[in-house]
Amino acid sequence: MVINMSILNINAYELVEDISNGSISAEDFTARMLERISKYDERINAYITLNNNALDRAREIDKEVKSSNGKIRSKILLGVPIAIKDNISTKGIRTTCASKVLEDYIPVYDATVVSRIKAHGAIIIGKTNMDEFGMGSSTEFSAFGVTRNPWDTTRVAGGSSGGSAAALAASEAVLALGSDTGGSVRCPASFCSVLALKPTYGLLSRYGLISYANSLECVGLMARSARDLALLLTATAGYDRYDDTSISNDNIDYYSNIDNVNNFNGMKAAVIKDIVDNCNDEVKKAFYDSLDILKDLGFMIEEIHLESVKYALPAYYVIAMAEASSNLARYDGIRYGYTMQPDGIAWNTFYSMVRSMFGDEVKKRIMLGTYILSSGYYGKYYMKAQIARALVRDELLRVFKDYSIIAIPTMPIPPFKIGERIDDPLKLYTVDICTILANLAGIPALSIPCAIHNGLPIGLQLMAKHLDEQLLLCVAHAFESIRYVKRCVD
Amino acid sequence: MPLDVDKVKHLAYLARISIDDESIDLYARHMDKVIEYFNILDEINSADAEPYRISKHIEEFRDDICIINNEDMLRIAKNVKERFIKAPRIV
């Protein structure tokens, strides 16, 4: 069957329907997607590794469909090509974290989120580029090259899940997994005009997610529609016995419930003035236009002030760097990853030389984390950051007593030029100001495209209280039915 | 107290990361700038709140069995001899 390239922009829920009823062949679709990647990806560098078994898996799915007589309906991601960020373990498929230290590492197990999507019939297309170990907001800190924004290849795709977002915008995947420590799915989603959901901490298992800052990070979901996000969340969410921080969600079917609420009369949305005031003019305009749409949906909009916002970004980076210094201590060249012949070398020398293979940004963050946790500085930085974090969480929870959602821009600026912010660490860190609040408090946050200005995408961010993903998905679904912003480049 | 080159060398030793001499000045400048930025946290009073904690009641422990195959793990290590992994001299 001949498939138009434009069908590669299809939504996952539509593709599943078409594959399940036999009107589209999984093999044909996957082959077309791989063809697209082979022709286009050199322009954007979204992928580090492609899955050699993708077509075989697609053929197996077509056979399952033929022999199933309709029983295949339980597999809600049937035949959907999914891109997976390269810090999520995939058994038998190289997983590098975009680092020379793991350049040839092949995991012997699947992350739980990967097992779950595979059980639902998804096809892993490949592993996507990222900032090394998740440390960055632009996918410029990768040992495998920069990922370019499909909307303007002189600009960044955002980070650290830049490859996943760029793949979706370039029709090189239908769904994508990323990870979000301080905005790492929401930032690239905003920059590439796709959607992203950072779930409540613990809702998606972190088993198999290679750690950077384990009290802050979550597996994040990326898609081109709210329905698709809901589908992916339904397939992946819920308690996992292999992750002691994971929590139950009572098997909520987010996908089936997404049409349940489309009128939000009586609900209040809070706008954090301290954050919006620090965004640039294009972002502010797009944001205020989006507020008009929320009003049309029935929300009452009120501006609020949060005392703890000014401490949020430094607190985030202190905690993230401290945890990184601990989590990356395991890269010692013994059990996996980059190594050398140990004969005749003392332990300290060996360990230090293996770890010299980290990129500059990773090294700086490890050393800063070491400093922050060291005697004499632990109380000044780390403990104060944890207190600031508690203040942020408490203030946000108080907000949610009176407001159903918080609305702010996802990013304070549109996508910036490659190389523009790479020489000044603070210039890069400050772009995270809108996104880190959700990670500090553990609450869910969603980014949805709200405008394209001068050819550059801008995202709207919605946050809710813990475990209120359904509300965020319903609002996003209603929003995009009024304001649908283009998701894919031509 | 600024983060100078000597301090960065010491941190590199503590973190067991080898850094070449050409990079140390740049690292020191960047890291000092970042630490300076963090100093805003001095405004926070320790009595303002209890430090953030994640706590969760664990009702059920999984069985104490190995869930990853040892053979697979040995296969991905590089300096393997029989069922051992060779490491550099520690003592």
Side-chain angles (χ1 to χ4, degrees), chain A residues 347-349 351-353 355-356, chain B residues 11-18:
Chain A
W347 167 252
N348 279 332
T349 308
Y351 194 13
S352 304
M353 283 167 65
R355 290 156 68 73
S356 72
Chain B
L11 288 171
Y13 171 71
L14 289 178
R16 300 298 192 272
I17 297 178
S18 176

Side-chain angles (χ1 to χ4, degrees), chain A residues 85 87 128-131 136 139 157-166 177-180 183-186 188-189 222:
Chain A
K85 186 178 182 181
N87 62 351
T128 51
N129 201 14
M130 53 183 282
D131 284 297
T139 313
S160 59
S161 311
S164 286
L177 297 183
S179 71
D180 192 307
S184 290
V185 288
R186 291 163 284 153
M222 305 177 83

Side-chain angles (χ1 to χ4, degrees), chain A residues 112-128:
Chain A
T112 296
V113 289
V114 172
S115 309
R116 288 181 180 178
I117 62 169
K118 280 163 85 168
H120 274 292
I123 297 171
I124 298 171
I125 272 283
K127 306 300 295 297
T128 51

